[in-house]
Amino acid sequence: MNTALIQEIKEKHVDLVAVTKKHTKEEVDELASLGLHVFGENRVQEFLTKYDPQYSWHIIGHLQTNKVKYIVGKIDRIDSVDSVKLAKEINKQAAKKGIVQEVLAELKVSKTDENKTGYPFEDAEAFLADLQQFDNIKVKGLMCIATNTDDQSVVAGEFDEMKALFDRMKKVYPEMDTLSMGMSHDWRLALEHGATQVRIGTALFE
């Protein structure tokens, strides 16, 4: 485990989601022993094999509507809501359990990477307005994955766009407090440009 990195992140006073996909439950427990207690998984099936209610869990990968029923009630936050259809299903399953599910709206900020998921950035305000119709969902903020490029100016520009939108939307939706952006390779840049939460996996296990 990269204990030096963990200490560095703690000193930054930023929220960390430790991404544990492809790692064992034993490794999750080891991270917890080092003071990390919020874990992110990409796939529902893998999450269910590791689920431990003493920790806080986030789903950070693309979520299919038919998998929502397996995680609502176990997951603390769904960070990757990228459609009204998905939000509707989350709302339905949360209502069945009598809970309000916290979510982040995932936006596609990259203009060149066709493989990135997320609701179109240019339509974000309408998307956030649509999500307000659901009583059993609470939108706590925004999430994005920046373009995978060595050109730091491109990544910084995308982070700046997200931060500007986040600041505007917080005035409309005061309950929004999370701007999740930055991963193992770009989290420091993300912090410089306003991230309140980073999602780090690979670098933690180096």
Side-chain angles (χ1 to χ4, degrees):
M1 299 297 175
N2 191 337
T3 54
L5 176 62
I6 292 171
Q7 185 58 37
E8 180 184 355
I9 294 169
K10 285 181 179 179
E11 291 171 358
K12 300 286 189 186
H13 301 292
V14 61
D15 293 334
L16 169 64
V17 177
V19 181
T20 49
K21 65 177 182 178
K22 298 182 180 178
H23 291 280
T24 64
K25 175 59 164 56
E26 288 70 29
E27 288 172 300
V28 171
D29 292 335
E30 186 177 350
L31 286 174
S33 73
L34 297 171
L36 304 184
H37 296 283
V38 181
F39 301 102
E41 286 287 335
N42 280 52
R43 298 180 182 278
V44 168
Q45 191 169 359
E46 186 176 351
F47 157 69
L48 292 172
T49 67
K50 300 176 197 174
Y51 173 64
D52 184 332
Q54 69 178 312
Y55 304 141
S56 177
W57 296 92
H58 292 208
I59 285 290
I60 61 172
H62 179 67
L63 179 60
Q64 297 173 305
T65 54
N66 64 349
K67 300 289 180 61
V68 171
K69 61 187 175 186
Y70 300 114
I71 63 169
V72 169
K74 295 183 173 72
I75 212 86
D76 288 277
R77 188 173 287 183
I78 299 170
D79 291 6
S80 49
V81 174
D82 58 1
S83 71
V84 175
K85 178 184 176 185
L86 176 58
K88 183 178 181 180
E89 181 63 21
I90 295 169
N91 185 73
K92 174 184 170 184
Q93 297 300 332
K96 283 183 179 179
K97 294 190 180 298
I99 63 173
V100 176
Q101 178 68 62
E102 291 190 357
V103 304
L104 300 182
E106 181 183 2
L107 303 178
K108 183 180 178 182
V109 71
S110 173
K111 298 173 180 63
T112 58
D113 194 337
E114 293 301 318
N115 294 321
K116 292 284 188 287
T117 56
Y119 201 87
F121 180 83
E122 58 272 19
D123 299 323
E125 293 190 32
F127 181 45
L128 290 169
D130 284 343
L131 295 181
Q132 302 308 307
Q133 68 184 285
F134 300 115
D135 293 336
N136 292 81
I137 285 179
K138 181 180 287 187
V139 182
K140 294 293 289 179
L142 308 176
M143 187 268 258
C144 77
I145 302 173
T147 299
N148 186 12
T149 175
D150 292 330
D151 188 340
Q152 295 294 282
S153 67
V154 170
V155 178
E158 292 172 354
F159 288 158
D160 282 341
E161 286 188 276
M162 288 291 295
K163 179 61 164 61
L165 175 67
F166 178 66
D167 287 345
R168 288 203 312 275
M169 292 297 95
K170 271 203 306 184
K171 294 174 182 175
V172 182
Y173 310 113
E175 67 276 11
M176 284 183 28
D177 57 15
T178 301
L179 179 56
S180 180
M181 55 186 195
M183 300 188 294
S184 288
H185 60 289
D186 60 8
W187 71 270
R188 291 181 180 87
L189 186 64
L191 283 190
E192 290 173 13
H193 292 267
T196 69
Q197 176 180 286
V198 294
R199 309 177 306 277
I200 302 178
T202 305
L204 290 177
F205 296 93
E206 291 174 345

